[in-house]
Structures are given as C-alpha cells and as structure tokens.
Amino acid sequence: MNSAFFWDLFLETGAPEMYLCYQEARRSEEQYVSESTGTCTASQSI
C-alpha cells in the first residue's frame, strides 16, 4: 500500500495509528526511490 492510502484513511478516521502507518510508508517509498535511482532525497542532500 502506498502512503496516500494511509493519509486518506487518517483524514477520514483521525486514527493516530493510520498517521504512523502513513509515516512508515512514506519513509519506505523515499528509501525505495533513492535506492532505485541512485539519487538522494531532499532530506539527504547536503
């Protein structure tokens, strides 16, 4: 599942665990992008 799904669910329910799932999915997506493209994310830039 992608982070957008968890974000939408968080907005609909307000459940804090959905926000935590969103954060984890977003970090996972950022890690995948940086590993697969060889570039760094904005938070990793110097």
Side-chain angles (χ1 to χ4, degrees), residues 1-10 15 18 20-21 23 26-27 29-31 33 35-36 38 40 43-44 46:
M1 295 193 176
N2 62 19
S3 60
F5 169 79
F6 290 116
W7 182 250
D8 290 339
L9 195 55
F10 170 69
M18 290 301 105
L20 295 175
C21 289
Q23 289 290 333
R26 193 184 72 174
R27 276 188 232 112
E29 290 169 359
E30 287 177 356
Q31 183 66 28
V33 168
E35 288 176 356
S36 65
C40 63
S43 62
Q44 295 172 331
I46 298 175

